[in-house]
């Protein structure tokens, strides 16, 4: 009889692998600690009964604070997980990850992994040594979701605080609480008594239905993000152009507004070979095409409901296939 497929836990660091000064007093809480200190195999030992939930394999890909994820590291993670998913003996993958950039890694995987096998990211808001550390329960729930047949084909998932989110739109919305993650469209489901219970499905293209071919992507085109604030300066865009950016995500006010004093300058970026992508600094909502700017006339792309960090990744992937703004715009409608 064939052995049941295993779940591979890929450790990358973060607070889930963090240690503080102790479980009480200074350094015990959520702020003063060292991220990425405990190896993934020791994390597993901290979860009672985990080994009985599924056959597990563990590998330590990185041991980093997730702030240190570069595009190179992100692609390394994606290629490694893609290779794991091609193995017949692997039923799913759980990635332990720092929470700060977890949403970016999850989204790149969601857009590029050509698999229907469950791939689940999880992390922790409290280091392993804190009173009421949340990492062990999150890891248990992530394994439960990765091992459950109902999780197949749902795209890359993020499991935190008993909730299951789609990588398409989950974000770290709060910095200091265990219910840190949220989505404007809500979670897809919950982990109830160790079993995923689903309430909705991701409607847009992902993973096995995606057109982005990881095997052909050795590096991501450079895409910058510029955040809006009062008294903006054009030099920041010039710096991205000088660095070789192929596109700049302008994280505009409200629904993506471009200040009047920058408009003609930004309109000129296209002639310099740089695509402008209009996103919004408001954390939930949409950028409406041709509403506060002449997107069609300028050859600009709008992000629909995507936030700027994810819009950066989708733009970079889009640029591996086309430089046509109209085609890139279609990708924002469909992913
Ligand atoms: C990190 O993102 O690596 C540190 C913070 C965290 O995991 O919560």
């Amino acid at each position: 009889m064939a052995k049941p497929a295993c779940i591979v836990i890929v450790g990358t660091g973060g607070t889930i692998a963090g240690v503080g000064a102790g479980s009480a007093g200074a350094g015990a809480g959520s702020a003063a600690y060292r991220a990425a200190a405990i190896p993934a195999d020791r994390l597993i030992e901290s979860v009672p009964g985990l080994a009985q939930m599924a056959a597990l394999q563990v590998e330590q890909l990185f041991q980093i604070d997730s702030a240190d994820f570069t595009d190179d590291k992100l692609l390394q993670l994606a290629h490694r997980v893609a290779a794991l998913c091609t193995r017949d003996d692997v039923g799913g993958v759980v990635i332990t990850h720092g929470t700060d950039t977890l949403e970016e890694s999850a989204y790149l995987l969601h857009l590029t992994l050509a698999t229907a096998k469950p791939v689940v990211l999880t992390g922790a808001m409290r280091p392993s040594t804190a009173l009421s550390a949340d990492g062990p329960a999150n890891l248990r729930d992530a394994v439960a979701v990765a091992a459950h047949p109902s999780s197949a084909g749902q795209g890359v998932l993020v499991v935190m605080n008993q909730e299951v989110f789609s990588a398409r739109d989950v974000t770290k919305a709060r910095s200091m609480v265990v219910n840190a993650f949220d989505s404007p469209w809500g979670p897809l489901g919950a982990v109830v008594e160790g079993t995923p219970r689903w309430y909705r499905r991701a409607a847009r293209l992902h993973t096995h239905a995606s057109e982005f071919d990881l095997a052909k992507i050795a590096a991501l085109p450079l895409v910058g993000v510029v955040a809006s604030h009062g008294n903006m300066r054009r030099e920041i865009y010039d710096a991205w152009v000088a660095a070789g950016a192929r596109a700049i995500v302008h994280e505009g006010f409200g629904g993506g507004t471009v200040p009047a004093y920058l408009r003609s300058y930004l309109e000129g970026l296209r002639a310099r070979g740089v695509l402008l992508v209009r996103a919004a600094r408001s954390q939930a909502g949409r950028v409406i095409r041709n509403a506060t700017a002449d997107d069609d006339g300028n050859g600009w792309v709008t992000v629909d409901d995507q936030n700027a960090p994810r819009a950066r990744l989708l733009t970079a992937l889009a640029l591996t296939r086309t430089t046509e703004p109209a085609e890139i715009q279609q990708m924002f409608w469909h992913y």
Side-chain angles (χ1 to χ4, degrees), residues 13-16 33 35 64-67 97-101 124-125 172:
T15 295
I16 191 166
Y33 66 94
I64 59 173
D65 188 305
S66 75
H97 198 293
T99 60
D100 287 346
T101 65
M125 292 302 294
K172 183 175 178 179

